[in-house]
Amino acid sequence: YKYERYVHQHGLTGEGQIITIEDTPIDYRHPMFYDPATKLEFNRDMPNHRKILYYASHVGEEEWRAAIKDDDHGTHPAGTLAGKSVPTNDTHSISPLFDGSAPDSKIVYAGLYGNVTAIELEEMMNSHNSRISSNSWGDTDLFVNSLNHEYGSLALRNPQSIFVFAAGNYVLYGNFTVVDPGGSKNLLSVGYSNNPVFLHKSL
């Protein structure tokens, strides 16, 4: 399916914006992120990389390559948000039709969710002039006051930034699909409105 990108037609493509993502690893070799002219290096500023300005990693490249999985979740939200395909000479080229919602934005990868403190996230965002924090995750314990306080305080200290969390990831919990820290009053939780599981239950 091809969806019209109405905001793109009005010049809203994410240009000049930097999105900080905390999730499982992003596969930077994917055509949505790969830069044939700039080698990606962990834990170093890469101002000339076409897509990723910083990639935090607690492991080296060899260990990263051994651990990365085809279905690692981080690649999915990163592509949905900021992916922009680059032509390659192999069979893995991706059509521009699948570019992200903000294809001209850039990415700061903060690291594996749960392993990044709010202070570390704050430092990475502010040092890279990032004003958008994307977190497509939540705690499986549903209500975690310590997480609410940690990320709520982070948002309170940084009114220039928006901190977005996923809603709906834990549909098996029934109606309780906004899980912490997405339940904090200072954060924005976003979910998809057409839920096939609940639609099926209502029939």
Side-chain angles (χ1 to χ4, degrees):
Y1 296 98
K2 179 181 182 296
Y3 296 94
E4 293 297 329
R5 305 292 182 93
Y6 299 106
V7 294
H8 292 182
Q9 296 169 13
H10 292 277
L12 298 173
T13 62
E15 185 174 3
Q17 298 300 315
I18 299 167
I19 303 172
T20 299
I21 297 174
E22 182 182 344
D23 209 295
T24 62
I26 299 170
D27 192 343
Y28 61 83
R29 303 166 299 180
H30 193 285
M32 288 288 179
F33 317 109
Y34 177 69
D35 185 345
T38 305
K39 185 182 187 306
L40 188 139
E41 298 180 74
F42 292 153
N43 307 315
R44 285 177 165 272
D45 288 333
M46 297 173 289
N48 296 321
H49 197 282
R50 78 172 187 97
K51 186 51 64 176
I52 300 176
L53 299 180
Y54 187 85
Y55 196 111
S57 178
H58 294 295
V59 300
E61 185 173 359
E62 187 174 332
E63 188 176 344
W64 180 92
R65 287 178 178 271
I68 192 77
K69 300 178 179 64
D70 288 341
D71 59 352
D72 260 337
H73 184 260
T75 304
H76 157 57
T80 300
L81 285 166
K84 186 172 185 178
S85 57
V86 60
T88 61
N89 295 323
D90 56 31
T91 57
H92 298 293
S93 294
I94 304 294
S95 167
L97 292 176
F98 298 102
D99 284 355
S101 298
D104 291 330
S105 62
K106 296 201 174 187
I107 294 170
V108 167
Y109 175 60
L112 179 66
Y113 73 94
N115 287 6
V116 182
T117 68
I119 295 296
E120 290 171 331
L121 180 62
E122 181 176 26
E123 290 175 350
M124 270 186 267
M125 291 182 68
N126 289 335
S127 65
H128 293 93
N129 199 31
S130 171
R131 298 291 177 257
I132 303 167
S133 169
S134 173
N135 307 272
S136 187
W137 54 273
D139 196 280
T140 54
D141 286 337
L142 297 181
F143 306 112
V144 186
N145 286 334
S146 60
L147 274 178
N148 268 349
H149 180 267
E150 183 179 17
Y151 282 91
S153 298
L154 169 64
L156 186 63
R157 290 194 305 272
N158 294 273
Q160 77 283 359
S161 300
I162 186 167
F163 298 84
V164 186
F165 279 81
N169 281 357
Y170 300 100
V171 67
L172 296 179
Y173 288 136
N175 292 328
F176 300 101
T177 59
V178 179
V179 299
D180 290 337
S184 173
K185 66 178 182 178
N186 296 329
L187 309 176
L188 174 65
S189 290
V190 178
Y192 182 49
S193 61
N194 185 10
N195 191 316
V197 174
F198 287 117
L199 178 65
H200 175 72
K201 284 183 177 179
S202 67
L203 295 178

